[in-house]
Amino acid sequence: MSDRSILARSAADVAADIVAGVLPTTAALDACRDAATSVQVGPEGLNAALWFDAAHARESLTSASMHGALAGIPVAVKDNIATLRMPTTCGSRMLEGYVSPFEATVVARLHAAGAVIPMKTNMDEFAMGSSTENSAWGPTKHPMDPARVPGGSSGGSAAVVAAGVTRIALGSETGGSVRQPAAFCGIVGVKPTYGRVSRHGLVAFASSLDQVGVFGQSVDDAALGLQVIAGVDPLDSTTVDAPVADYRATRDITGDRPLAGVVVGRPLEYFPASLDPAMRALLDRAADTLRALGAEIRDVSLPHTDLAIPVYYIVAPAEASSNLARFDGVRYGLRVDDGDGLRGMYEATRSRGFGPEVTRRILLGTYVLSAGYYDAYYKRAMAVRRLITDDFARVFASGVHVLLTPTTPTTAFLAGTKKDPYEMYLSDIFTATANLAGVPAMSQPIGRIEGLPVGGQLLAAQFDEATMFRVAYALERALGEEAHR
Amino acid sequence: MSAVTDGYEMVIGLEIHCQLKTRTKLFSAASANFGDAPNANTDAVCLGLPGALPVCNKHAIELATRAALGLECTVHPVSVFARKHYFYPDLPKGYQISQFDRPLATGGRVVVGANADGSARVIGITRVHVEEDAGKSVHDRFAGVSAIDLNRAGTPLIEIVSEPDLRSSADAGAYVRAVKQIIEYTDVSDANMEEGSLRVDVNISARPRGSTTFGTRTEIKNLNSISGVERSIEIEFARQCGVLAAGGEVEQRTMLWDGVRNEVRPARSKEGSPDYRYFPEPDLPPLVLEPAFIEAHRAALPELPAAKRARFASQYGLSAADIEQLTVTTTLADRFEAVSKASGDAKRAANWILGVVLASVNARGLDITSHPVSVERLAALIGLEVQGAVSNTAAKQIFAILEQEDAEPSLIAEREGLLQVSDDSALERWIDEVMAEMPAEAARFLAGEKKLQGVLVGAVMKKSKGSADPKKVNQLLGQRVAPG
Amino acid sequence: MGGSDVAVSEDDVRHVAALARLGLDGDRVQSLVGELNRILEHMDVLQQVDIRGASLDPDAAHGLRMREDVPNPIPLHREREAFAPAMRDGFFLVPRLATHGTAARGDDEGDE
Ligand SMILES: [Mg+2]
Ligand SMILES: [Zn+2]
């Protein structure tokens, strides 16, 4: 039997013990394997892990670097990130059984830091969804209440971390797909600045919005995970060669007013009159806590916020319709050939390979790009996107360091209750702005409503993840157990 | 002129696709080599594998910049890659990365011969943009299926779009030649139409003479010879005129050229104008070229064909026809200039290069730079001719020997007895012998029948095995009849 | 149907599905007309936005990084045959494209 208490310690501490030889190299992996079995992460239970291969991961440990920041630490990886040993299906029939012949840069960096990847996690098909109900391999359940959704699209990764199976997991973000499930599941979820982390090997949904994100059981786990994968990559032209700060530098700062000099903006558009009063109260408590830590709380405005969802649901489907054109049954993945020629093969393959939400978004995206509609939809949406970006630039230029908002408008909802697509899209209402503007953002637990976790969101200026983490560390420490009450 | 085309004018614009000379593809570091096993030169990017991203080849952008400057375009400091969408099995991603509303370069020009009034005929270049090529579909290899080879997929192309300034098939042919020449001068592509590294699409419409509006155009795709360009234009123009003359309307659509059957026919699908759904490529930030980069490439441009022709005219005083031929390629022009300089006689150098040398180069299927007779040897040979040491006939014999043997031309001339004899006593001796051997002709010549001088000179040349200096022989013969 | 200037019709859905090579049966087309219209209704708000202040110039703050022209393909750890639906002699196979002569590209809407 493994030592399950290992999973209660931060990834950084456990890795340090493994490097020092205090713990055996397989200690964390064995604990992860046993936890996975007992919480049933597979299809018989949470349906959070699509593939679990602890034996293979154990073998890779012997050869892996045992000196890295993640030495021996198991990291769960979302199923749209290319790995060599396990399939990469994006939760889609289109890629059933597909094993990538190359590896994502983030996966290579995890390996180089000594991490092991024992599982690929469930997701909404091609990351399109906010509940992980749209997977071809069945929905993932919320670890605290199987009747509820874990959020999405990275619901599998969120559930695995929330269930205590791994300390760190990778997800991907296009409009909130890490922060929203992190909020629903009561863990930390970070979406870095666009261009901070390589997308090489991340199966594209909407290229101008996609970014690999990190889940952690704590701020420190998430910061450590991001530290390992961040940085320019010659294989992704959209990564930026900006210095990567030490995200964990402020983890031990205590004292009376650790946030003295920090200005926290509270954008009024994220606190509409319709906001659940209980959620507002938790955000107020978080703001009061930050003020007590020395931060100045300042009310600010991001006037184009309410346009984010319409803009997002034009830009993201447009890019998706393009990115998913490569799934044509010619070179890899599903092929359905009914003998109706090339055209028939294309249409049969794509209609059977893609589920209803993916089909809907491809059609929507094709429509907004098509002749006669491009200017009214896509081009206009891109212009409004600029206005949203400018809102953030203006507020950060005005001396505000981070913004504090709710991550989601509600707590985890019941599975099967959001039938109308647009109603589901509104789950991203507080998160999609960060993707449109390319700014870093994260969600961390700030309390609970009726037993369900609530996330508080921090947003920062582009490439200033360090300040975001500084505030997150201080808030986490100050809230203590209150964050989970 | 066939009656149906009378009264109509053709309006033509061309799109020329030109493959850039790079080692790797435009957006992947896979080899751009040809002739390898099918799909051998494909990596994750070329195969459009999930998660693969484009990374731009700097050299391709340098070559495209050089070509655009050679075509006298304005190269823009910021241009944008865009996705152009259509489904085809040799297009791995379902879109081609090209450039759309922000191309690399716009507003160029090419001089294509002269107008009727003698002024330079200038054809406008609308734009030059960079894009990736598609792969190849092979239809006759396996029964019932098409076979896809993606080795060519992703190789870098420039697309050169002309203004609709061309008015005849000959005009179009001349334009293609002129563009091809600039591409060769700037050394950005092999520009070989047979091998497909230069391909032409023709946009053509017909309108009543005197009309200033454009008719509906059709596009003839993927022509791979200049004669194909010219012939397909004639045929499609006649077809359009026929439709118009009968009161019909030309349908805007894509046509295919069948060079074997000599016919232009409509492409099979009839879906109306395609909807490519262009939008800016989100995987690639804007292409930003520093002004210094553009200026460095401008400064490094070689002398372009028009400038070279003008210089050859003023510097060497050669005929327009000779200049045209000498400037076809830079290698030929360079060879001429080297021989001209080394021999000091431009006219003779031009004659030698365009005559004997080119004939030999063509017969041997060689590149002129690898021809066995070096610049120095040819110049020395011309020098012997200039000095009068050998006759032109003898020089040609020496050239033939130089093709086999690398030696000093004067030594060959001496060894082979080809040195021109201009020593009076030797020449007088041969003249005496000829006059003795041909008494009748000699007598008539001495009696004043001037036309016999040529016969006697010929006989002397023959007797001397070509080594006599014919000018000197003529002179000496002339003195024999001169009074006093 | 809200104040939609441009309502999606059944023909639009069929046209867009054809562009996207998605085979849809009649019932699905019907339901998609409703779904897409209900979504696009929410996009109408964008038509009212004053976008005069929004630059449409490309954001050239971070210009394109480029690589040297040196062969260095991303290695494939599995053979193409391992993931290709149909391959022979190194070629990917697809249902026959063109039936006449060498006229291949341009036959469908192949273009470049
Ligand atoms: Mg074209
Ligand atoms: Zn083109």
Side-chain angles (χ1 to χ4, degrees):
Chain A
M1 241 358 243
S2 65
D3 177 4
R4 291 284 293 276
S5 71
I6 286 171
L7 290 166
R9 300 174 55 207
S10 80
D13 286 352
V14 174
D17 278 0
I18 289 174
V19 170
V22 176
L23 282 170
T25 54
T26 58
L29 178 61
D30 289 344
C32 163
R33 182 199 58 210
D34 292 346
T37 309
S38 77
V39 306
Q40 295 192 305
V41 290
E44 73 288 350
L46 292 178
N47 198 29
L50 298 174
W51 291 275
F52 193 94
D53 192 352
H56 228 131
R58 219 162 190 281
E59 274 170 44
S60 76
L61 264 182
T62 57
S63 59
S65 153
M66 277 308 122
H67 308 285
L70 290 174
I73 301 297
V75 175
V77 171
K78 190 177 180 179
D79 196 35
N80 60 350
I81 297 174
T83 49
L84 290 174
R85 290 174 189 274
M86 285 177 281
T88 299
T89 74
C90 300
S92 180
R93 289 204 187 288
M94 187 60 92
L95 285 174
E96 183 164 10
Y98 173 75
V99 183
S100 176
F102 72 100
E103 181 172 77
T105 295
V106 290
V107 169
R109 288 186 180 178
L110 288 177
H111 282 139
V116 286
I117 299 172
M119 72 186 98
K120 295 295 281 292
T121 58
N122 203 6
M123 57 184 282
D124 285 305
E125 185 178 4
F126 285 104
M128 296 177 191
S130 306
S131 64
T132 317
E133 292 171 290
N134 294 338
S135 170
W137 321 126
T140 294
K141 298 184 176 80
H142 194 292
M144 294 164 65
D145 179 355
R148 291 182 187 272
V149 303
S153 64
S154 313
S157 284
V160 162
V161 173
V165 177
T166 66
R167 296 286 308 195
I168 300 173
L170 296 191
S172 72
E173 273 253 6
T174 306
S177 284
V178 167
R179 286 164 289 157
Q180 186 253 22
F184 278 12
C185 292
I187 58 173
V188 176
V190 180
K191 184 213 78 99
T193 307
Y194 184 80
R196 177 54 98 190
V197 174
S198 171
R199 293 182 295 117
H200 170 70
L202 169 68
V203 182
F205 160 13
S207 311
S208 75
L209 301 160
D210 293 346
Q211 204 53 200
V212 171
V214 185
F215 291 100
Q217 281 188 25
S218 65
V219 172
D220 193 54
D221 291 335
L224 176 63
L226 182 61
Q227 195 80 56
V228 165
I229 63 171
V232 67
D233 178 9
L235 297 177
D236 176 359
S237 309
T238 61
T239 54
V240 174
D241 196 0
V244 178
D246 178 1
Y247 298 144
R248 303 179 60 236
T250 55
R251 67 186 181 279
D252 295 324
I253 291 181
T254 51
D256 259 6
R257 293 166 58 82
L259 296 183
V262 174
V263 178
V264 177
R266 202 161 42 172
L268 62 100
E269 291 81 5
Y270 289 73
F271 297 87
S274 59
L275 188 67
D276 179 348
M279 191 167 285
R280 184 185 300 273
L282 290 174
L283 266 300
D284 286 344
R285 182 175 75 175
D288 292 342
T289 308
L290 294 174
R291 194 181 288 112
L293 293 167
E296 174 194 338
I297 306 295
R298 190 185 293 176
D299 287 331
V300 297
S301 173
L302 297 163
H304 297 94
T305 300
D306 59 337
L307 301 170
I309 293 299
V311 168
Y312 177 83
Y313 279 94
I314 289 172
V315 174
E319 292 184 14
S321 72
S322 172
N323 283 324
L324 271 54
R326 69 185 61 199
F327 299 101
D328 58 5
V330 175
R331 298 163 312 285
Y332 49 80
L334 180 72
R335 168 184 294 195
V336 181
D337 186 0
D338 296 339
D340 201 9
L342 177 70
R343 182 78 183 236
M345 188 272 275
Y346 279 151
E347 296 193 343
T349 298
R350 289 168 60 79
S351 63
R352 278 191 236 167
F354 294 136
E357 182 59 26
V358 174
T359 299
R360 185 154 45 230
R361 295 209 201 176
I362 291 174
L363 289 173
L364 185 59
T366 306
Y367 181 76
V368 299
L369 287 175
S370 66
Y373 300 103
Y374 180 88
D375 284 358
Y377 288 116
Y378 180 80
K379 201 172 166 195
R380 184 160 268 272
M382 288 303 274
V384 179
R385 180 180 181 176
R386 255 322 156 78
L387 297 176
I388 292 170
T389 308
D390 292 346
D391 279 355
F392 279 101
R394 199 178 314 108
V395 83
F396 288 124
S398 74
V400 171
H401 297 107
V402 298
L403 298 169
L404 172 69
T405 79
T407 307
T408 56
T410 67
T411 55
F413 46 84
L414 291 165
T417 51
K418 296 224 194 261
K419 296 266 191 263
D420 177 57
Y422 202 81
E423 197 194 332
M424 181 72 89
Y425 298 169
L426 290 174
S427 324
D428 299 335
I429 194 158
F430 299 144
T431 48
T433 47
N435 302 80
L436 291 169
V439 299
M442 66 188 288
S443 179
Q444 69 187 106
I446 58 165
R448 290 193 181 186
I449 298 174
E450 292 168 10
L452 292 171
V454 169
Q457 178 174 233
L458 297 173
L459 305 99
Q462 290 195 352
F463 299 103
D464 193 14
E465 284 87 358
T467 303
M468 184 172 80
F469 279 119
R470 177 183 172 193
V471 175
Y473 273 118
L475 180 61
E476 180 185 58
R477 179 188 293 267
L479 286 176
E481 281 309 301
E482 292 299 311
H484 299 283
R485 247 173 236 154
Chain B
M1 247 305 153
S2 101
V4 73
T5 58
D6 284 353
Y8 290 100
E9 176 184 54
M10 59 173 98
V11 175
I12 304 165
L14 299 188
E15 292 166 20
I16 298 181
H17 285 94
C18 208
Q19 220 159 56
L20 299 174
K21 263 194 232 180
T22 57
R23 295 174 69 197
T24 64
K25 298 186 181 186
L26 181 53
F27 296 117
S28 107
S31 167
N33 201 41
F34 286 100
D36 292 335
N39 291 303
N41 296 334
T42 56
D43 71 353
V45 178
C46 318
L47 293 169
L49 291 181
L53 295 171
V55 179
C56 190
N57 181 342
K58 189 175 169 193
H59 189 50
I61 300 304
E62 289 169 344
L63 294 178
T65 301
R66 203 196 297 169
L69 292 170
L71 293 161
E72 297 183 47
C73 290
T74 302
V75 174
H76 298 294
V78 178
S79 63
V80 174
F81 285 106
R83 294 183 180 180
K84 175 181 180 177
H85 300 84
Y86 61 92
F87 282 90
Y88 207 77
D90 63 19
L91 186 73
K93 300 184 294 297
Y95 56 84
Q96 176 196 29
I97 305 179
S98 181
Q99 294 186 305
F100 184 52
D101 52 2
R102 302 283 300 247
L104 177 78
T106 54
R109 65 203 281 281
V110 172
V111 175
V112 179
N115 291 309
D117 65 0
S119 61
R121 176 139 178 71
V122 174
I123 303 300
I125 305 285
T126 312
R127 57 189 279 150
V128 173
H129 69 247
V130 186
E131 62 185 22
E132 56 178 348
D133 207 346
K136 274 192 174 135
S137 306
V138 183
H139 306 290
D140 48 9
R141 170 121 183 173
F142 306 117
V145 291
S146 292
I148 309 298
D149 175 8
L150 298 175
N151 281 347
R152 198 184 65 183
T155 52
L157 303 174
I158 47 171
E159 182 174 334
I160 303 161
V161 182
S162 83
E163 292 288 305
D165 288 348
L166 301 159
R167 291 292 176 271
S168 69
S169 58
D171 222 9
Y175 169 78
V176 174
R177 273 184 215 101
V179 169
K180 190 170 180 293
Q181 196 177 33
I182 290 168
I183 293 302
E184 284 163 347
Y185 267 56
T186 49
D187 197 27
V188 304
S189 168
D190 295 326
N192 185 322
M193 293 190 79
E194 287 70 43
E195 288 169 11
S197 55
L198 189 147
R199 309 192 287 269
V200 179
D201 298 340
V202 171
N203 287 296
I204 175 169
S205 62
R207 66 181 175 193
R209 279 195 186 281
S211 165
T212 52
T213 56
F214 293 132
T216 305
R217 66 183 172 85
T218 58
E219 184 173 21
I220 315 168
K221 280 205 161 306
N222 269 322
L223 296 155
N224 57 7
S225 71
I226 289 175
S227 74
V229 170
E230 294 176 342
R231 282 186 295 153
S232 67
I233 284 173
E234 290 297 338
I235 291 168
E236 176 59 8
F237 178 58
R239 186 191 72 82
Q240 289 188 9
C241 291
V243 170
L244 294 175
E249 276 179 32
V250 173
E251 244 187 294
Q252 177 171 349
R253 61 180 312 175
T254 299
M255 311 295 286
L256 301 172
W257 165 242
D258 184 335
V260 179
R261 291 190 215 164
N262 220 24
E263 65 181 33
V264 174
R265 58 160 179 268
R268 196 171 50 173
S269 90
K270 229 183 153 181
E271 282 186 11
S273 66
D275 187 346
Y276 292 125
R277 288 157 283 138
Y278 280 100
F279 75 94
E281 165 58 281
D283 287 330
L284 296 166
L287 176 60
V288 178
L289 301 180
E290 298 299 328
F293 169 94
I294 297 169
E295 289 319 310
H297 279 279
R298 193 193 308 282
L301 274 184
E303 182 179 37
L304 292 168
K308 197 180 285 290
R309 284 193 293 266
R311 181 170 63 81
F312 276 24
S314 65
Q315 184 174 342
Y316 301 117
L318 301 170
S319 74
D322 281 358
I323 291 172
E324 197 64 44
Q325 286 189 65
L326 285 171
T327 55
V328 161
T329 63
T330 45
T331 44
L332 185 64
D334 289 350
R335 190 72 163 195
F336 156 72
E337 294 210 85
V339 174
S340 169
K341 191 175 174 204
S343 68
D345 190 325
K347 289 223 169 82
R348 273 208 170 83
N351 287 339
W352 272 96
I353 298 272
L354 293 177
V356 177
V357 175
L358 270 190
S360 166
V361 162
N362 291 338
R364 289 159 169 261
L366 285 176
D367 188 83
I368 194 160
T369 52
S370 47
H371 191 271
V373 181
S374 69
V375 168
E376 292 69 30
R377 295 290 188 235
L378 180 57
L381 181 57
I382 293 171
L384 291 179
E385 207 189 338
V386 173
Q387 293 156 26
V390 297
S391 68
N392 183 258
T393 319
K396 283 176 181 161
Q397 287 173 261
I398 295 168
F399 184 86
I401 293 166
L402 283 170
E403 287 181 288
Q404 311 299 326
E405 177 191 344
D406 185 37
E408 192 58 48
S410 61
L411 295 179
I412 296 175
E414 210 176 311
R415 188 184 75 202
E416 302 293 324
L418 292 168
L419 276 176
Q420 202 151 247
V421 178
S422 47
D423 167 48
D424 283 7
S425 63
L427 295 177
E428 295 282 13
R429 194 162 59 248
W430 279 325
I431 291 171
D432 289 346
E433 283 175 35
V434 163
M435 295 191 79
E437 284 159 19
M438 303 171 78
E441 289 84 351
R444 283 162 61 195
F445 170 67
L446 292 172
E449 234 180 290
K450 283 241 163 145
K451 65 179 181 190
L452 279 166
Q453 182 162 329
V455 176
L456 296 172
V457 172
V460 171
M461 292 308 292
K462 199 172 169 192
K463 181 169 279 293
S464 72
K465 294 192 184 105
S467 68
D469 179 346
K471 231 195 281 171
K472 214 68 199 279
V473 174
N474 265 309
Q475 209 178 22
L476 293 173
L477 273 170
Q479 282 167 10
R480 295 199 180 200
V481 289
Chain C
M1 196 103 311
S4 229
D5 297 339
V6 274
V8 180
S9 69
E10 202 176 307
D11 276 353
D12 290 336
V13 172
R14 285 187 204 285
H15 171 67
V16 171
L19 277 179
R21 298 291 186 275
L22 285 165
L24 298 178
D25 62 32
D27 288 354
R28 189 74 187 108
V29 171
Q30 282 296 334
S31 62
L32 278 161
V33 171
E35 290 166 27
L36 295 188
N37 274 311
R38 277 195 298 280
I39 294 167
L40 285 166
E41 210 177 294
H42 296 277
M43 313 307 182
D44 285 349
V45 61
L46 297 180
Q47 307 307 319
Q48 321 312 322
V49 181
D50 179 358
I51 54 170
R52 281 171 302 180
S55 161
L56 282 174
D57 282 348
D59 178 4
H62 302 286
L64 184 61
R65 256 183 296 117
M66 291 186 266
R67 64 175 169 79
E68 297 304 316
D69 184 24
V70 178
N72 182 26
I74 295 166
L76 297 182
H77 292 263
R78 296 161 59 99
E79 291 303 320
R80 291 158 185 82
E81 281 79 1
F83 52 79
M87 251 195 144
R88 198 187 303 167
D89 298 351
F91 291 97
F92 295 103
L93 300 185
V94 295
R96 185 59 152 253
L97 287 160
T99 48
H100 46 262
T102 54
R105 298 190 61 74
D107 248 41
D108 229 290
E109 60 241 42
D111 189 19
E112 47 203 41

